Amino acid sequence: MHQPTHTHADDHAGGYGIYLKVWLGLIVFTGITVAAAGVDLNSAGLTIALALLIASVKTALVVYFFMHIKYEHLLFKLMLAVCAITFVIFIGLTFFDIAYR
Amino acid sequence: MSSHSNAIVAHKHPSDVEGAKIAMWLFLFTEVLLFGGLFILYAVYRYQYSLDFHLAATELNASLGAINTVVLLTSSLTVALSIEALRRGNRKLSLWMLFITIVCALTFMVIKYFEWSAKIHHGIYPGSETLLTASSGEIVFYNLYYAMTGLHGIHVLIGMGVLGGMFYFIARKPINKEAINYDVVERIRGGSRMAVLADDGRELGDVINIDDKVERVEIKVIYENTPEKFDPRNEIKLENSGLYWHIVDVIWIFLFPLFYLII
């Protein structure tokens, strides 16, 4: 049939299997998040950092595979980077302010 | 017939898949920054009231939060599978996966409803008398909890609507109405006739003269409803809907540990 929607994403060979594996990884990381929250790391900062680190890894999995960033043009990756860096600057500057009041 | 009309469809709508996707991503960035503002608010207050946040968070049901996390992650999987299935021309599997996604979204909202009801039943909601007697850190925690999970819940509902719409688009017999634009009608006015030609050049059906009385030409293309033939534009629509759904999932990935798992 006529197929006008050929994109980069059509080139990948992953298929259904890769999505199932990613999902399994996400579930495992959710388990780790819950388990890690029960561990007393003697530092609230460390606990938050660990939770955020795991959440970031999960996000990376979703964005990279489920949202097809892996198969997109460089432009998409750059746009994503600009958004992420903007957000990190916001958070960074906010805490630069809060921490030294 | 079908090859001719398809050519017109493709010509009139040079399907700019990349452009559509870029637009969707730009919208998603605004969503990220919308929630990002709230996350910054959360971060600052958690820094200031870490003990109060800890006390307040013990009231939340971590098991329900974890179940909802798994529900949303699973829905993210099924919507990704739905897109993959549609791309491979497996319409039936695509619809099933989409159906499971919508059921997961509904499950998430039902669990959320019970969580919120329990809290409200205990008198914990923004501005309640019980909450006003609590410490300011706890008040801030619950205000943020309701604001952020509430805004997220609205996104889940919108996502359900969008995915439901996609289910309809993919399930229905695809119909395309294509209008030839005014400039083209002007150019062919007078000396033109419109007819459907068979492969051997025979004119089929009525032949229409494009004269002064014709204002607009509309061509209605009806595709057969078989697994192999469907409106190809559904692919990018479903992909963009999926992107939205994944962002809703990603936001929850952060909300869950930040509200339910504070020690």
Side-chain angles (χ1 to χ4, degrees):
Chain A
M1 62 169 278
H2 184 69
Q3 264 289 16
T5 51
H6 260 290
T7 68
H8 255 45
D10 287 336
D11 303 337
H12 67 100
Y16 302 126
I18 187 80
Y19 293 120
L20 280 169
K21 281 180 201 154
V22 169
W23 174 77
L24 211 61
L26 288 168
I27 297 296
V28 169
F29 276 118
T30 303
I32 295 175
T33 310
V34 176
V39 179
D40 192 359
L41 291 171
N42 278 328
S43 152
L46 213 59
T47 312
I48 300 171
L50 185 62
L52 288 181
L53 181 72
I54 299 170
S56 302
V57 171
K58 286 167 76 179
T59 299
L61 281 175
V62 171
V63 172
Y64 200 63
F65 292 101
F66 283 175
M67 297 175 88
H68 304 141
I69 273 293
K70 180 173 192 261
Y71 314 106
E72 298 292 3
H73 291 301
L74 183 62
L75 174 67
F76 287 83
K77 293 168 188 170
L78 287 177
M79 283 179 4
L80 188 65
V82 168
C83 179
I85 291 167
T86 307
F87 186 54
V88 168
I89 289 173
F90 276 151
I91 290 227
L93 284 182
T94 307
F95 272 86
F96 196 67
D97 176 15
I98 298 295
Y100 294 101
R101 276 190 190 180
Chain B
M1 168 70 198
S2 99
S3 66
H4 277 105
S5 38
N6 263 339
I8 292 171
V9 173
H11 175 68
K12 297 306 292 179
H13 288 270
S15 55
D16 188 359
V17 171
E18 298 293 303
K21 245 191 279 183
I22 289 173
M24 192 65 200
W25 274 99
L26 286 175
F27 168 65
L28 294 186
F29 295 152
T30 70
E31 290 281 54
V32 167
L33 294 179
L34 167 69
F35 277 93
L38 289 168
F39 275 115
I40 289 175
L41 215 57
Y42 171 93
V44 170
Y45 281 119
R46 180 159 175 186
Y47 181 79
Q48 281 185 351
Y49 301 109
S50 42
L51 193 65
D52 287 343
F53 267 48
H54 163 67
L55 285 175
T58 52
E59 291 287 319
L60 293 183
N61 191 330
S63 312
L64 287 183
I67 291 170
N68 257 353
T69 307
V70 172
V71 167
L72 269 199
L73 289 175
T74 306
S75 72
S76 247
L77 167 72
T78 52
V79 82
L81 290 177
S82 174
I83 295 165
E84 184 68 27
L86 192 66
R87 184 178 288 148
R88 295 184 184 196
N90 192 342
R91 226 165 115 260
K92 203 174 166 190
L93 181 64
S94 178
L95 284 173
W96 268 110
M97 288 298 135
L98 208 48
F99 176 72
I100 296 172
T101 310
I102 295 168
V103 168
C104 284
L106 196 64
T107 309
F108 179 91
M109 287 314 287
V110 168
I111 292 177
K112 203 88 231 132
Y113 167 78
F114 282 116
E115 275 189 78
W116 275 35
S117 309
K119 287 283 153 305
I120 291 168
H121 186 71
H122 286 111
I124 301 173
Y125 54 88
S128 74
E129 283 176 27
T130 317
L131 202 56
L132 286 178
T133 59
S135 68
S136 44
E138 282 175 280
I139 295 173
V140 168
F141 177 87
Y142 276 107
N143 284 349
L144 279 172
Y145 167 74
Y146 277 107
M148 292 177 82
T149 60
L151 187 62
H152 179 263
I154 290 172
H155 279 77
V156 173
L157 288 177
I158 294 171
M160 267 174 76
V162 169
L163 293 173
M166 277 320 300
F167 189 93
Y168 166 74
F169 281 134
I170 297 169
R172 72 169 176 177
K173 283 193 199 311
I175 296 169
N176 286 326
K177 261 190 181 171
E178 301 299 334
I180 291 178
N181 69 38
Y182 189 74
D183 288 349
V184 176
V185 177
E186 277 304 293
R187 255 190 287 136
I188 61 179
R189 194 183 295 287
S192 300
R193 296 186 309 143
M194 207 168 86
V196 175
L197 300 183
D199 282 345
D200 58 10
R202 275 179 305 123
E203 290 177 356
L204 306 171
D206 292 337
V207 177
I208 304 151
N209 286 311
I210 311 281
D211 55 22
D212 287 349
K213 287 170 197 145
V214 175
E215 287 224 323
R216 201 156 53 99
V217 178
E218 257 186 29
I219 300 167
K220 195 175 187 184
V221 183
I222 302 176
Y223 293 86
E224 284 172 60
N225 194 12
T226 66
E228 296 76 30
K229 285 186 180 173
F230 52 85
D231 187 342
R233 283 174 295 173
N234 276 342
E235 263 185 52
I236 181 61
K237 284 188 203 161
L238 182 63
E239 175 134 9
N240 277 350
S241 313
L243 286 176
Y244 182 81
W245 190 250
H246 292 309
I247 274 291
V248 172
D249 184 26
V250 163
I251 290 161
W252 183 258
I253 285 176
F254 283 95
L255 287 178
F256 169 57
L258 289 180
F259 278 102
Y260 293 82
L261 302 174
I262 307 179
I263 7 167

